[in-house]
Amino acid sequence: MTNFSVEELCTLHTSLSKMDVERIKEVSGNLPLIADLNQANVFVDCPTKEGKHAIVVAEAAPNTAKSVYQKPVAGKFAYEAFEPAVLYTLRTGKNMFLNRALTQEGKTVEQSVVPIKGSEDRVIGALIMEKDISEKLQRQLKLEALSEATETLSGILIGMAENRPIIPEVIEESLFFIDQENKVVYNNPSATNLIHEIGKEDCRPGVLLIDCFPCIQEILNEPEELLVKEMKMMNKVFRVKKISLDVDGKSNGTFIILKDLTELREKEREIVVKSVAIREIHHRVKNNLQTVASLLRLQMRRGVPEESKVHFVESLNRISSIASVYEIILSSSSVDEVDIYSLIEKVGNMLVHEAKHEQKKIHIQYKGPKILIDSDKAVSLSLVINELIQNCVKHAFKQMHEGKVDVCFEYSNDEIKVEVIDNGEGYSPNAKPSLGLDIVKMMIEHDLSGHFLIKRAETGTIATVQFPFERKEE
């Protein structure tokens, strides 16, 4: 496998960046050494654009041992049904060692998978090592699972020995076992029910499966021993699995497994429609809030009493902080979740910018991990953060022209903790109660089921907000 071939496969089948592709090429260049050192076949798989499967972009067979594969697999897809460890590692970034797996040529191997990470610690691929299990074990498995006689296959694989079905009788999927001529040898009860649903009298042994399902011919013509494909038949959507039982190049029959995905796909379609509707609602709410804010600004430009101006500004900031929630949702791929860091940063920067008009130089910085919360919680939190930072801007630096505000948040023990710290004049417990702090207490206690504490520090004030990540049932 040349570097150009790796780049070509990544470009055609994945969404990796150029930097990520270079990282994959770098790892792929070491595969021959890794294969010889471990006496094993090694591969690099990358997630496809759709994210449902993986694509083999590079491979190497050992010169120090017999290869597990007779045919190249680079360029073939790895399906989750047959490669669960690979897809698990790609999605979670976790290692999988000494996992028993079935290769695309039907051989049992010992498989280990580790993630390949790119920039920002993102998983961009998986490095896979597959070792052939001992010939003795392979021989035993073949004798048990791949007998050349159809009658033995029925007894061992289909579970008809002693008239006691083992697995196929209870699974929901419709299972057919066909011989080399594509004639039905066995079908389970679910398959029988499916035959009746399509108006066929029966699918008895000896009947061609394509007589009942003409579309199956397409998947039977594919050369792959293991194949998963989604197909439309009889106004329904099915996931079709083909498992060919080949020994030394000779076919011992094929399993065809059908699963009805119609209801699942319909629910997915409904979710997409609902997601679009939710985003449209968010868009309208944001527009309405911006309209209200524009009206307030227009009124302020036309003139308001000086004693009322501060109340207009506070109301304008509250409306703008709520609008920030919906702006963040609409600018992200999430349907109804908001990143806390982005929200706090947007609200804080807006308030500090307002402070510049009062000839105050306030420095603000933020610290915290990426945490997503529901939009309803985000609205309450945005108002809380607005009031606390606005409180710093308005009261902490009355006698100062320059100040500093730190906004820190963290997630621990299923709770989110936010601290707003300033180096201003310091909070006085005897100060007159303000509407802003009343809003904070109300939002924290009633909307977020949490608690609020504000205290004087050695220099300035520390305001602490703490609430459960998941709202408790009332």
Side-chain angles (χ1 to χ4, degrees), residues 197-213:
E197 285 180 18
I198 66 174
K200 300 287 185 179
E201 293 185 0
D202 205 348
C203 198
R204 300 180 304 278
V207 175
L208 285 171
L209 183 61
I210 58 174
D211 287 346
C212 300
F213 304 99

Side-chain angles (χ1 to χ4, degrees), residues 295-342:
L295 290 174
L296 285 176
R297 292 191 186 97
L298 180 62
Q299 183 62 54
M300 291 174 65
R301 284 198 295 268
R302 292 177 65 88
V304 294
E306 191 62 32
E307 64 272 14
S308 301
K309 183 178 180 181
V310 64
H311 302 299
F312 271 80
V313 172
E314 289 177 354
S315 298
L316 182 60
N317 288 338
R318 288 165 187 149
I319 293 169
S320 297
S321 66
I322 298 174
S324 298
V325 174
Y326 298 97
E327 288 178 13
I328 293 172
I329 291 176
L330 293 171
S331 64
S332 69
S333 58
S334 175
V335 175
D336 201 35
E337 290 182 320
V338 178
D339 175 30
I340 290 181
Y341 190 99
S342 299

Side-chain angles (χ1 to χ4, degrees), residues 425-455:
E425 299 176 10
Y427 172 73
S428 173
N430 299 320
K432 181 181 177 182
S434 66
L435 174 61
L437 291 183
D438 287 342
I439 291 175
V440 171
K441 292 176 182 178
M442 181 184 69
M443 290 293 174
I444 292 298
E445 294 175 3
H446 296 284
D447 290 7
L448 298 176
S449 302
H451 53 271
F452 168 65
L453 175 66
I454 184 169
K455 63 181 181 180

Side-chain angles (χ1 to χ4, degrees), residues 6-7 10-11 14-27 46 116-125:
V6 172
E7 184 173 358
C10 288
T11 303
T14 76
S15 300
L16 297 180
S17 66
K18 289 185 178 180
M19 185 181 297
D20 292 337
V21 174
E22 289 300 318
R23 171 64 176 151
I24 294 296
K25 288 164 62 178
E26 177 186 351
V27 174
C46 294
I116 301 172
K117 296 186 177 181
S119 59
E120 299 180 356
D121 211 35
R122 292 182 301 103
V123 177
I124 60 174

Side-chain angles (χ1 to χ4, degrees), residues 258-285:
L258 305 176
K259 183 171 183 178
D260 190 349
L261 300 180
T262 308
E263 184 176 350
L264 176 63
R265 293 292 175 260
E266 181 61 28
K267 287 182 178 179
E268 288 177 349
R269 189 190 67 80
E270 291 176 359
I271 290 173
V272 170
V273 171
K274 288 180 180 178
S275 298
V276 172
I278 290 172
R279 292 187 71 85
E280 177 61 24
I281 291 171
H282 289 332
H283 186 74
R284 295 188 182 187
V285 170

